[in-house]
Coordinates of all heavy atoms in Angstrom, one line a residue:
M180 N 111.4 41.3 151.1 CA 110.5 40.6 151.9 C 109.2 40.3 151.1 O 108.7 41.2 150.4 CB 110.2 41.4 153.2 CG 109.4 40.7 154.1 SD 108.9 41.5 155.7 CE 110.3 42.5 156.0
A181 N 108.6 39.2 151.3 CA 107.4 38.8 150.6 C 106.2 39.6 151.2 O 106.2 40.0 152.3 CB 107.1 37.3 150.8
E182 N 105.2 39.7 150.3 CA 103.9 40.3 150.7 C 103.3 39.5 151.8 O 103.3 38.3 151.6 CB 103.0 40.5 149.5 CG 101.8 41.3 149.7 CD 102.1 42.8 149.9 OE1 103.2 43.3 149.4 OE2 101.3 43.5 150.6
P183 N 102.7 40.0 152.9 CA 102.0 39.2 153.9 C 100.9 38.3 153.3 O 100.2 38.8 152.4 CB 101.5 40.2 154.9 CG 102.3 41.4 154.7 CD 102.7 41.4 153.3
R184 N 100.8 37.1 153.8 CA 99.7 36.2 153.4 C 98.8 35.8 154.6 O 99.3 35.8 155.7 CB 100.3 35.0 152.7 CG 101.1 35.3 151.5 CD 101.9 34.2 151.0 NE 101.1 33.1 150.5 CZ 101.6 31.9 150.2 NH1 102.8 31.7 150.1 NH2 100.8 30.9 149.8
D185 N 97.6 35.4 154.3 CA 96.7 35.0 155.3 C 96.6 33.5 155.4 O 96.5 32.8 154.3 CB 95.3 35.6 155.1 CG 95.2 37.1 155.4 OD1 96.2 37.7 155.8 OD2 94.1 37.6 155.3
F186 N 96.8 33.0 156.6 CA 96.7 31.6 156.9 C 95.5 31.3 157.8 O 95.1 32.2 158.5 CB 98.0 31.1 157.5 CG 99.2 31.2 156.6 CD1 99.9 32.4 156.6 CD2 99.6 30.3 155.7 CE1 101.0 32.6 155.8 CE2 100.7 30.4 154.9 CZ 101.4 31.6 155.0
S187 N 95.0 30.1 157.8 CA 93.9 29.7 158.7 C 94.4 28.5 159.6 O 94.7 27.5 159.0 CB 92.7 29.4 157.9 OG 91.6 29.1 158.8
I188 N 94.4 28.7 160.9 CA 94.8 27.6 161.7 C 94.1 27.8 163.1 O 94.0 28.9 163.7 CB 96.3 27.5 161.9 CG1 96.8 26.2 162.5 CG2 96.9 28.7 162.6 CD1 98.2 25.8 162.1
Y189 N 93.7 26.7 163.7 CA 93.0 26.6 165.0 C 91.9 27.7 165.1 O 91.7 28.3 166.2 CB 94.0 26.9 166.2 CG 95.1 25.8 166.1 CD1 96.5 26.2 165.9 CD2 94.9 24.5 166.3 CE1 97.5 25.2 165.9 CE2 95.9 23.6 166.3 CZ 97.2 23.9 166.1 OH 98.2 23.0 166.1
G190 N 91.2 27.9 164.0 CA 90.1 28.8 164.1 C 90.4 30.2 163.9 O 89.6 31.2 164.1
L191 N 91.7 30.5 163.8 CA 92.2 32.0 163.6 C 92.7 32.2 162.3 O 93.3 31.4 161.5 CB 93.4 32.2 164.6 CG 93.1 32.0 166.1 CD1 94.4 32.1 166.9 CD2 92.1 33.1 166.5
R192 N 92.5 33.5 161.8 CA 93.0 34.0 160.6 C 94.3 34.7 161.0 O 94.3 35.6 161.7 CB 92.1 34.9 159.9 CG 92.6 35.3 158.5 CD 91.5 36.3 157.9 NE 91.8 36.4 156.5 CZ 91.2 35.7 155.5 NH1 90.3 34.8 155.8 NH2 91.5 35.9 154.3
V193 N 95.4 34.2 160.4 CA 96.8 34.7 160.8 C 97.4 35.4 159.6 O 97.6 34.7 158.5 CB 97.7 33.7 161.3 CG1 99.1 34.2 161.6 CG2 97.1 33.0 162.5
R194 N 97.6 36.7 159.6 CA 98.3 37.4 158.5 C 99.8 37.5 158.9 O 100.2 38.0 159.9 CB 97.7 38.8 158.3 CG 98.4 39.6 157.2 CD 97.6 40.8 156.7 NE 96.4 40.3 156.2 CZ 95.2 41.0 156.2 NH1 95.2 42.2 156.7 NH2 94.1 40.4 155.7
S195 N 100.6 36.9 158.0 CA 102.0 36.7 158.3 C 103.0 37.2 157.2 O 102.8 36.9 156.1 CB 102.4 35.3 158.6 OG 103.7 35.1 158.9
A196 N 104.0 38.0 157.7 CA 105.0 38.4 156.7 C 106.1 37.3 156.5 O 106.9 37.4 155.7 CB 105.7 39.6 157.3
I197 N 105.9 36.2 157.4 CA 106.8 35.0 157.3 C 106.1 33.9 156.6 O 104.9 33.7 157.0 CB 107.3 34.6 158.7 CG1 108.0 35.8 159.4 CG2 108.2 33.4 158.7 CD1 108.2 35.6 160.9
D198 N 106.7 33.2 155.7 CA 106.0 32.0 155.1 C 105.8 30.9 156.1 O 106.8 30.4 156.7 CB 106.9 31.5 153.9 CG 106.2 30.4 153.2 OD1 104.9 30.2 153.4 OD2 106.9 29.7 152.5
L199 N 104.7 30.6 156.5 CA 104.4 29.6 157.5 C 104.1 28.3 156.7 O 102.9 27.8 156.6 CB 103.2 30.0 158.3 CG 103.4 31.3 159.1 CD1 102.1 31.8 159.8 CD2 104.6 31.3 160.0
R200 N 105.1 27.7 156.2 CA 105.0 26.4 155.5 C 104.2 25.4 156.2 O 104.4 25.1 157.4 CB 106.4 25.9 155.1 CG 107.1 26.7 154.1 CD 108.4 26.1 153.7 NE 109.3 27.2 153.4 CZ 110.6 27.1 153.6 NH1 111.2 26.1 154.1 NH2 111.3 28.2 153.2
G201 N 103.3 24.7 155.5 CA 102.5 23.7 156.1 C 101.2 24.2 156.7 O 100.3 23.4 157.0
W202 N 101.1 25.5 156.9 CA 99.8 26.1 157.4 C 98.9 26.3 156.2 O 99.3 26.8 155.1 CB 100.1 27.4 158.1 CG 100.7 27.3 159.4 CD1 101.6 26.4 159.8 CD2 100.6 28.2 160.5 NE1 102.0 26.6 161.1 CE2 101.4 27.8 161.5 CE3 99.8 29.4 160.7 CZ2 101.4 28.4 162.8 CZ3 99.9 30.1 161.9 CH2 100.7 29.6 162.9
P203 N 97.6 26.0 156.3 CA 96.7 26.2 155.2 C 96.4 27.7 154.9 O 96.3 28.4 155.9 CB 95.4 25.4 155.6 CG 95.5 25.3 157.1 CD 97.0 25.3 157.5
L204 N 96.3 28.0 153.7 CA 95.9 29.4 153.4 C 94.5 29.7 153.7 O 93.6 28.8 153.6 CB 96.2 29.7 151.9 CG 97.7 29.7 151.4 CD1 97.7 29.8 149.8 CD2 98.4 30.8 152.0
A205 N 94.2 30.9 154.1 CA 92.9 31.3 154.5 C 92.1 31.6 153.2 O 92.7 32.1 152.3 CB 92.9 32.5 155.5
R206 N 90.8 31.4 153.2 CA 90.0 31.8 152.1 C 89.2 33.1 152.4 O 89.0 33.4 153.6 CB 89.0 30.7 151.9 CG 89.7 29.4 151.5 CD 88.6 28.3 151.2 NE 89.4 27.1 151.0 CZ 88.8 26.1 150.5 NH1 87.6 26.0 150.1 NH2 89.5 24.9 150.3
G207 N 88.8 33.8 151.4 CA 88.0 35.0 151.6 C 88.9 36.2 152.0 O 90.1 36.1 151.8
S208 N 88.2 37.2 152.4 CA 89.0 38.5 152.7 C 88.7 39.1 154.0 O 88.6 40.3 154.2 CB 88.7 39.5 151.6 OG 87.3 39.8 151.6
A209 N 88.4 38.3 155.0 CA 88.1 38.7 156.4 C 89.4 39.4 157.0 O 90.5 39.0 156.6 CB 87.6 37.6 157.3
P210 N 89.2 40.3 158.0 CA 90.4 40.8 158.7 C 91.1 39.8 159.5 O 90.4 38.8 160.0 CB 89.8 41.9 159.6 CG 88.3 41.6 159.7 CD 87.9 40.8 158.5
P211 N 92.4 39.9 159.8 CA 93.0 38.9 160.6 C 92.8 39.0 162.0 O 92.5 40.1 162.5 CB 94.5 39.2 160.3 CG 94.5 40.6 160.0 CD 93.2 40.9 159.3
D212 N 92.9 37.8 162.7 CA 92.8 37.8 164.2 C 94.2 38.1 164.8 O 94.3 38.6 165.9 CB 92.3 36.4 164.6 CG 90.9 36.1 164.1 OD1 90.0 36.9 164.5 OD2 90.8 35.1 163.4
V213 N 95.2 37.6 164.1 CA 96.6 37.8 164.6 C 97.4 38.2 163.4 O 97.2 37.8 162.3 CB 97.1 36.4 165.1 CG1 98.6 36.5 165.5 CG2 96.3 35.9 166.2
I214 N 98.4 39.1 163.7 CA 99.3 39.6 162.7 C 100.7 39.3 163.1 O 101.1 39.5 164.3 CB 99.2 41.1 162.5 CG1 97.8 41.5 162.0 CG2 100.2 41.7 161.5 CD1 97.5 43.0 161.9
I215 N 101.5 38.7 162.2 CA 102.9 38.4 162.5 C 103.7 39.3 161.5 O 103.6 39.2 160.3 CB 103.2 36.9 162.2 CG1 102.4 36.0 163.2 CG2 104.7 36.7 162.4 CD1 102.5 34.5 162.9
R216 N 104.5 40.1 162.1 CA 105.5 41.0 161.3 C 106.9 40.6 161.6 O 107.3 40.0 162.6 CB 105.2 42.4 161.8 CG 103.9 42.9 161.5 CD 103.7 44.4 161.7 NE 104.3 44.9 162.9 CZ 103.7 46.0 163.6 NH1 102.7 46.6 163.1 NH2 104.3 46.4 164.8
L217 N 107.8 40.9 160.7 CA 109.2 40.6 160.8 C 109.8 42.0 160.9 O 109.9 42.7 159.9 CB 109.6 39.9 159.5 CG 111.1 39.4 159.5 CD1 111.3 38.4 160.7 CD2 111.4 38.6 158.2
E218 N 110.3 42.2 162.1 CA 111.0 43.5 162.4 C 111.9 43.4 163.6 O 111.7 42.4 164.4 CB 110.0 44.6 162.6 CG 109.0 44.4 163.7 CD 107.9 45.5 163.7 OE1 107.4 45.9 162.7 OE2 107.7 46.0 164.8
P219 N 112.8 44.3 163.8 CA 113.7 44.2 165.0 C 112.9 44.3 166.3 O 111.9 45.0 166.4 CB 114.7 45.3 164.9 CG 114.5 45.8 163.5 CD 113.2 45.4 163.0
V220 N 113.4 43.4 167.3 CA 112.8 43.5 168.7 C 113.9 43.8 169.7 O 114.9 43.1 169.7 CB 112.1 42.1 169.0 CG1 111.7 42.1 170.5 CG2 111.0 41.8 168.1
A221 N 113.7 44.8 170.4 CA 114.7 45.1 171.5 C 114.4 44.1 172.6 O 113.3 43.9 173.0 CB 114.5 46.5 172.0
A222 N 115.5 43.4 173.0 CA 115.3 42.3 173.9 C 116.2 42.3 175.1 O 117.3 42.9 175.0 CB 115.4 41.0 173.2
P223 N 115.8 41.7 176.2 CA 116.7 41.7 177.4 C 117.9 40.8 177.1 O 117.8 39.9 176.3 CB 115.8 41.2 178.5 CG 114.8 40.4 177.8 CD 114.6 41.1 176.5
P224 N 119.0 41.0 177.8 CA 120.2 40.1 177.6 C 119.8 38.7 178.2 O 119.0 38.6 179.1 CB 121.3 40.8 178.4 CG 120.5 41.7 179.4 CD 119.3 42.1 178.7
V225 N 120.5 37.7 177.6 CA 120.2 36.3 178.1 C 121.6 35.8 178.6 O 122.6 35.9 178.0 CB 119.8 35.4 176.9 CG1 119.7 33.9 177.4 CG2 118.5 35.9 176.4
V226 N 121.5 35.2 179.8 CA 122.7 34.6 180.4 C 122.6 33.1 180.2 O 121.6 32.5 180.4 CB 122.8 34.8 181.9 CG1 123.9 34.2 182.6 CG2 122.9 36.4 182.1
G227 N 123.7 32.4 179.7 CA 123.7 31.0 179.5 C 124.2 30.6 178.1 O 124.5 31.5 177.4
G228 N 124.1 29.3 177.9 CA 124.6 28.8 176.6 C 123.6 28.9 175.5 O 122.5 29.5 175.7
P229 N 123.8 28.2 174.4 CA 123.0 28.2 173.3 C 121.6 27.7 173.7 O 121.5 26.8 174.5 CB 123.6 27.3 172.3 CG 125.0 27.3 172.7 CD 125.1 27.5 174.1
Y230 N 120.6 28.3 173.1 CA 119.2 28.0 173.4 C 118.7 28.3 174.8 O 117.6 28.0 175.2 CB 118.9 26.5 173.1 CG 119.4 26.1 171.7 CD1 120.5 25.2 171.6 CD2 118.9 26.6 170.6 CE1 120.9 24.8 170.4 CE2 119.3 26.2 169.3 CZ 120.4 25.3 169.3 OH 120.9 25.0 168.0
S231 N 119.5 29.1 175.6 CA 119.0 29.6 176.8 C 118.0 30.7 176.5 O 118.1 31.4 175.5 CB 120.2 30.3 177.6 OG 121.1 29.3 177.9
G232 N 117.0 30.8 177.4 CA 115.9 31.8 177.1 C 115.7 32.7 178.2 O 116.1 32.5 179.4
R233 N 114.9 33.8 177.9 CA 114.5 34.7 178.9 C 113.2 35.3 178.4 O 113.0 35.6 177.3 CB 115.5 35.8 179.1 CG 115.1 36.8 180.1 CD 116.3 37.7 180.5 NE 115.8 38.6 181.5 CZ 116.3 39.8 181.8 NH1 117.5 40.1 181.2 NH2 115.9 40.6 182.7
T234 N 112.3 35.5 179.4 CA 111.0 36.1 179.1 C 110.9 37.4 180.0 O 111.2 37.4 181.1 CB 109.9 35.1 179.5 OG1 110.1 33.9 178.7 CG2 108.5 35.7 179.1
L235 N 110.3 38.4 179.4 CA 110.1 39.6 180.1 C 108.8 40.3 179.7 O 108.5 40.3 178.5 CB 111.3 40.6 179.8 CG 111.2 42.0 180.4 CD1 111.4 42.0 181.9 CD2 112.3 42.8 179.8
V236 N 108.0 40.8 180.6 CA 106.8 41.6 180.3 C 107.2 43.1 180.6 O 107.5 43.4 181.8 CB 105.6 41.2 181.0 CG1 104.4 42.0 180.7 CG2 105.3 39.7 180.7
E237 N 107.1 43.9 179.6 CA 107.5 45.3 179.8 C 106.6 46.2 179.0 O 106.4 46.1 177.8 CB 108.9 45.5 179.3 CG 109.6 46.8 179.5 CD 111.0 46.8 179.1 OE1 111.3 46.7 177.9 OE2 111.9 46.9 180.0
D238 N 106.0 47.2 179.7 CA 105.0 48.2 179.0 C 104.0 47.5 178.2 O 103.7 47.9 177.1 CB 105.9 49.1 178.1 CG 106.9 50.0 178.9 OD1 106.5 50.3 180.0 OD2 107.9 50.3 178.4
G239 N 103.4 46.4 178.8 CA 102.3 45.6 178.1 C 102.8 44.8 176.9 O 102.0 44.2 176.2
E240 N 104.1 44.6 176.8 CA 104.6 43.7 175.7 C 105.3 42.5 176.3 O 106.1 42.7 177.2 CB 105.5 44.5 174.8 CG 106.1 43.7 173.6 CD 107.0 44.4 172.7 OE1 107.4 45.6 173.0 OE2 107.4 43.9 171.6
L241 N 105.0 41.4 175.8 CA 105.7 40.1 176.1 C 106.9 40.0 175.2 O 106.8 40.1 174.0 CB 104.8 38.9 176.0 CG 105.5 37.6 176.1 CD1 106.0 37.3 177.6 CD2 104.6 36.4 175.7
K242 N 108.1 39.9 175.8 CA 109.4 39.7 175.0 C 110.0 38.3 175.4 O 110.1 38.0 176.6 CB 110.3 40.8 175.3 CG 109.8 42.2 174.9 CD 110.8 43.3 175.2 CE 110.2 44.6 174.7 NZ 111.2 45.7 174.9
V243 N 110.3 37.6 174.4 CA 110.9 36.3 174.6 C 112.2 36.2 173.8 O 112.1 36.5 172.6 CB 109.9 35.1 174.2 CG1 110.6 33.8 174.3 CG2 108.6 35.2 174.9
V244 N 113.3 35.8 174.4 CA 114.5 35.7 173.7 C 115.0 34.3 173.9 O 115.0 33.7 175.0 CB 115.6 36.7 174.3 CG1 116.9 36.5 173.5 CG2 115.1 38.1 174.3
V245 N 115.4 33.7 172.8 CA 116.1 32.4 172.8 C 117.4 32.5 172.1 O 117.4 32.7 170.9 CB 115.3 31.3 172.1 CG1 116.0 29.9 172.2 CG2 113.8 31.2 172.8
R246 N 118.5 32.4 172.9 CA 119.9 32.7 172.4 C 120.1 31.7 171.2 O 119.9 30.5 171.3 CB 120.9 32.5 173.5 CG 122.3 32.7 173.0 CD 123.3 32.6 174.1 NE 123.3 33.9 174.7 CZ 124.1 34.3 175.6 NH1 124.9 33.4 176.3 NH2 124.1 35.5 176.1
G247 N 120.6 32.3 170.1 CA 121.0 31.6 168.9 C 119.8 31.2 168.1 O 119.9 30.5 167.1
V248 N 118.5 31.6 168.4 CA 117.3 31.3 167.7 C 116.7 32.5 167.2 O 116.7 32.8 166.0 CB 116.3 30.4 168.5 CG1 115.1 30.2 167.7 CG2 117.0 29.1 168.9
A249 N 116.0 33.3 168.1 CA 115.3 34.5 167.7 C 114.9 35.3 168.9 O 115.0 34.9 170.0 CB 114.1 34.1 166.9
R250 N 114.4 36.5 168.6 CA 113.7 37.4 169.6 C 112.3 37.6 169.1 O 112.0 37.8 168.0 CB 114.5 38.7 169.7 CG 115.9 38.6 170.3 CD 116.5 39.9 170.3 NE 117.3 40.1 169.1 CZ 118.0 41.1 168.9 NH1 118.0 42.2 169.6 NH2 118.7 41.2 167.7
Y251 N 111.4 37.5 170.1 CA 110.0 37.7 169.8 C 109.4 38.7 170.7 O 109.7 38.9 171.8 CB 109.2 36.4 170.0 CG 109.8 35.2 169.3 CD1 110.8 34.4 169.9 CD2 109.4 34.8 168.1 CE1 111.3 33.3 169.3 CE2 109.9 33.7 167.4 CZ 110.9 33.0 168.0 OH 111.5 31.9 167.4
G252 N 108.4 39.5 170.1 CA 107.6 40.4 171.0 C 106.1 40.2 170.6 O 105.8 39.9 169.4
A253 N 105.3 40.3 171.6 CA 103.8 40.1 171.4 C 103.1 41.2 172.2 O 103.4 41.4 173.3 CB 103.4 38.8 171.8
T254 N 102.1 41.9 171.6 CA 101.3 42.9 172.3 C 99.8 42.7 171.9 O 99.5 42.3 170.8 CB 101.8 44.3 171.9 OG1 101.6 44.4 170.5 CG2 103.2 44.6 172.3
G255 N 99.0 43.1 172.9 CA 97.5 43.1 172.6 C 96.9 41.9 172.3 O 95.7 41.9 171.8
G256 N 97.5 40.7 172.4 CA 96.9 39.5 172.0 C 96.7 39.3 170.5 O 96.0 38.3 170.1
E257 N 97.2 40.2 169.7 CA 96.9 40.1 168.3 C 98.1 40.4 167.4 O 98.1 40.3 166.2 CB 95.7 40.9 167.9 CG 95.9 42.4 168.2 CD 94.6 43.1 168.0 OE1 93.5 42.6 168.2 OE2 94.7 44.3 167.6
L258 N 99.2 40.9 168.0 CA 100.4 41.2 167.2 C 101.6 40.5 167.7 O 101.9 40.6 168.9 CB 100.6 42.7 167.3 CG 101.8 43.3 166.5 CD1 101.7 43.1 165.0 CD2 102.0 44.8 166.7
I259 N 102.3 39.8 166.8 CA 103.6 39.1 167.2 C 104.7 39.7 166.3 O 104.5 39.9 165.1 CB 103.4 37.6 166.9 CG1 102.3 37.0 167.8 CG2 104.7 36.9 167.2 CD1 101.9 35.6 167.5

């Protein structure tokens, strides 16, 4: 996995472990507003065909599952 890089978009500094192609790199060394990590997310089951989705809020974490695409988790307004 690549070393996380800082990007700047919509006035936010985003530190991401995923290459966000097309996003401009951030300048300087300020702390990030948002952190994107790549790690497993325990997600609820999804009923339906490809691209069916489900959203769940559990223990302060937003979990989003899109069948055949990915699972996402977000907490505290700053960690994805």
Side-chain angles (χ1 to χ4, degrees):
M180 185 181 328
E182 191 70 26
R184 295 168 66 185
D185 285 4
F186 299 88
S187 180
I188 193 157
Y189 302 116
L191 296 172
R192 184 180 196 94
V193 179
R194 180 162 296 152
S195 179
I197 300 169
D198 184 18
L199 302 173
R200 290 185 209 148
W202 286 30
L204 291 173
R206 296 178 188 199
S208 60
D212 299 297
V213 177
I214 298 173
I215 299 174
R216 297 190 310 213
L217 188 58
E218 58 186 48
V220 173
V225 177
V226 176
Y230 310 113
S231 295
R233 182 166 178 200
T234 303
L235 175 70
V236 176
E237 183 177 71
D238 297 326
E240 180 178 12
L241 170 68
K242 296 180 181 185
V243 178
V244 182
V245 181
R246 180 176 272 179
V248 177
R250 292 181 265 179
Y251 306 92
T254 58
E257 58 190 32
L258 178 62
I259 300 172

